Amino acid sequence: MPYKRFIVPREIIHGWGALKALKYVETKKAFVVTDSTMGKLGYLDKIKAILNEKGTQSQHFDQVEADPSMDTVKKCLTQVMEFSPDLIIGLGGGSPIDAGKAVWALYENPDLAEVDWDELLRALPRCKLRQKARYVAIPTTSGTGSEVSFGAVITNYQADPPVKKLLVSFQLTPDVAIVDAELASTMPPSITADTGFDALVHAVEGYTVGQTTDMVDSIAVTAIKTIMEWLPKAVADGSNVIAREKMHLAATMAMVACSNSGGGLNHDAAHQLGSFFHLTHGRANAVVLCHFLSWLYDYNPERLALLARELGMEVKDTRDGTQKLIAAMSDLRKRVGLPGSIKEMGIDEVIFMSKLDQLVEYTIASGISPQRPSLDEVKELYLKVWEGAEPKLSPG
Ligand SMILES: [Fe+2]
């Protein structure tokens, strides 16, 4: 039987106000990779003050955009190379943390900055990191989980339409994740809902799609239960400290489960929907979820029914369990105010249909899913996601 690995950061520091633990991270020169919002919220100053107090020199780059490009990564890299930090800090949502990981990889392996996408994706898993710097990730949204994952999503804008590329290497796992819910407490309800659904999909995919283990299962189930209970409360009242703490740690746990098991077609679709139609990652995940579960029923019915049982549902058989799971996810999506179809998101039908074949092709090429669906299956999935009616499984 093949052995399995379980990979997490060396330290996950969590709880309200955990940011102050940054003072215990060893560093003489720290470089912060972030976006412009973190300055406006005062978080960048807070971090610089902690570093300054312990005598650490610091510099920052605050121009990471949503869905960061390789151009942005390289722009930041120039500054990092000049400064030569021994610590890189990724601060923000998934975009700055992922961009920071890519900058870190290229800083450690400058030759990779010169190669094309295919060579970069091929070479990265064999490259060493931590020869020059270590990486601290500080998430300010409760969803992406990039603070504990060994992946980074960077968009190739040279392709038309742009395509998201997943950089993967076990080495990319941050050394330290600081999971401080106070930093996520300013998220407005819509971002709380979007990012919360991203986390939910990580945990659901982690449990239902890939090579699970008892460790993955227990973490995934706890994350799903927590999100189902606390996401509506965090959306309804952003000042609810307990809801914020529950969601922030659940998002981290969801990615621990997903990165140690594997993602699925839900994320293949969400990445491409995001690139094609500029949907937020969480929203794109949310709109696909019920149809993804209905599709997955043909591949993995036992796991779906088992998850329904774990969530406390009374399950007669696999079909009944999957249908109840779909109903619960659909209900949660409605409760947090997320749309149930692509057509509700203001996308023109003619444009959507004209791009559908290419969308299907890119989705399959995205390659996260261990199940290998046909073109027709993915096209059918997208037509259902466009329409949005809650899927009903046919009688077995
Ligand atoms: Fe995600």
Side-chain angles (χ1 to χ4, degrees):
M1 203 166 154
Y3 63 82
K4 300 213 166 101
R5 282 180 172 178
F6 190 81
I7 297 173
V8 286
R10 182 172 52 81
E11 255 187 288
I12 300 174
I13 304 164
H14 58 93
W16 199 266
L19 182 62
K20 52 183 176 290
L22 182 60
K23 68 180 170 196
Y24 300 116
V25 176
E26 224 175 279
T27 170
K28 291 194 164 49
K29 285 175 99 176
F31 192 98
V32 184
V33 181
T34 189
D35 59 28
S36 55
T37 311
M38 296 301 116
K40 288 177 198 144
L41 291 171
Y43 296 165
L44 183 57
D45 284 348
K46 224 169 164 178
I47 283 175
K48 293 204 135 197
I50 294 170
L51 294 169
N52 192 36
E53 207 174 300
K54 69 202 226 80
T56 301
Q57 287 181 57
S58 68
Q59 277 194 13
H60 69 272
F61 175 90
D62 64 358
Q63 292 157 49
V64 178
E65 72 277 44
D67 302 327
S69 67
M70 191 50 86
D71 284 351
T72 298
V73 168
K74 288 183 181 171
K75 205 168 147 193
C76 178
L77 178 66
T78 307
Q79 215 179 314
V80 168
M81 296 293 267
E82 274 170 24
F83 184 58
S84 299
D86 59 15
L87 189 77
I88 297 178
I89 299 171
L91 167 71
S95 295
I97 294 177
D98 282 2
K101 286 180 182 173
V103 170
W104 180 36
L106 300 187
Y107 171 52
E108 300 270 354
N109 301 276
D111 291 354
L112 291 184
E114 310 302 326
V115 302
D116 63 19
W117 277 102
D118 287 346
E119 181 55 23
L120 174 62
L121 297 176
R122 219 178 3 252
L124 192 60
R126 298 190 304 274
C127 286
K128 273 195 168 179
L129 276 79
R130 300 176 175 79
Q131 308 300 300
K132 295 180 181 172
R134 288 174 304 129
Y135 195 81
V136 174
I138 307 175
T140 60
T141 59
S142 308
T144 163
S146 183
E147 68 277 9
V148 289
S149 80
F150 43 82
V153 180
I154 304 296
T155 300
N156 176 8
Y157 288 95
Q158 267 70 53
D160 182 25
V163 59
K164 292 191 177 189
K165 298 283 189 184
L166 181 61
L167 275 52
V168 179
S169 164
F170 289 145
Q171 295 275 327
L172 277 176
T173 311
D175 295 281
V176 179
I178 299 180
V179 185
D180 179 349
E182 191 176 3
L183 302 176
S185 63
T186 54
M187 279 193 296
S190 65
I191 297 179
T192 304
D194 280 19
T195 52
F197 248 83
D198 183 26
L200 178 67
V201 173
H202 294 153
V204 169
E205 284 186 326
Y207 189 92
T208 59
V209 168
Q211 295 292 312
T212 60
T213 63
D214 289 351
M215 279 202 289
V216 165
D217 286 356
S218 58
I219 292 171
V221 168
T222 303
I224 295 166
K225 282 182 178 169
T226 305
I227 293 167
M228 290 177 77
E229 180 176 355
W230 292 95
L231 180 59
K233 293 173 187 165
V235 170
D237 177 9
S239 67
N240 182 333
V241 170
I242 297 171
R244 289 298 195 188
E245 283 207 273
K246 290 281 186 187
M247 278 307 302
H248 213 43
L249 192 58
T252 298
M253 292 170 73
M255 182 48 82
V256 167
C258 189
S259 63
N260 284 287
S261 170
L265 185 62
N266 206 129
H267 262 79
D268 283 319
H271 283 160
Q272 302 317 322
L273 276 174
S275 305
F276 274 61
F277 302 108
H278 309 290
L279 305 177
T280 65
H281 179 61
R283 199 158 278 235
N285 265 310
V287 79
V288 173
L289 180 56
C290 290
H291 303 281
F292 159 73
L293 293 172
S294 162
W295 166 81
L296 190 63
Y297 176 67
D298 286 340
Y299 290 87
N300 227 348
E302 287 79 17
R303 289 296 291 180
L304 292 164
L306 198 55
L307 178 55
R309 278 198 189 93
E310 289 279 8
L311 297 175
M313 298 167 193
E314 262 184 48
V315 172
K316 285 188 280 192
D317 51 34
T318 56
R319 185 181 164 279
D320 180 54
T322 305
Q323 196 68 69
K324 283 178 175 155
L325 190 61
I326 289 171
M329 297 297 142
S330 175
D331 177 57
L332 183 66
R333 195 197 66 243
K334 288 176 200 155
R335 285 173 67 202
V336 299
L338 287 172
S341 69
I342 298 174
K343 71 177 178 188
E344 277 176 59
M345 296 182 182
I347 291 160
D348 184 85
E349 184 170 6
V350 175
I351 293 175
F352 180 78
M353 294 304 166
S354 71
K355 291 186 173 182
L356 183 56
D357 286 345
Q358 197 179 23
L359 180 66
V360 169
E361 204 184 298
Y362 274 41
T363 301
I364 291 173
S366 166
I368 298 172
S369 173
Q371 293 84 24
R372 304 306 302 157
S374 67
L375 288 168
D376 286 346
E377 280 173 72
V378 178
K379 193 167 184 172
E380 195 186 325
L381 174 92
Y382 273 127
L383 289 171
K384 288 177 178 168
V385 176
W386 167 262
E387 208 51 55
E390 191 178 304
K392 294 273 177 271
L393 300 173
S394 49

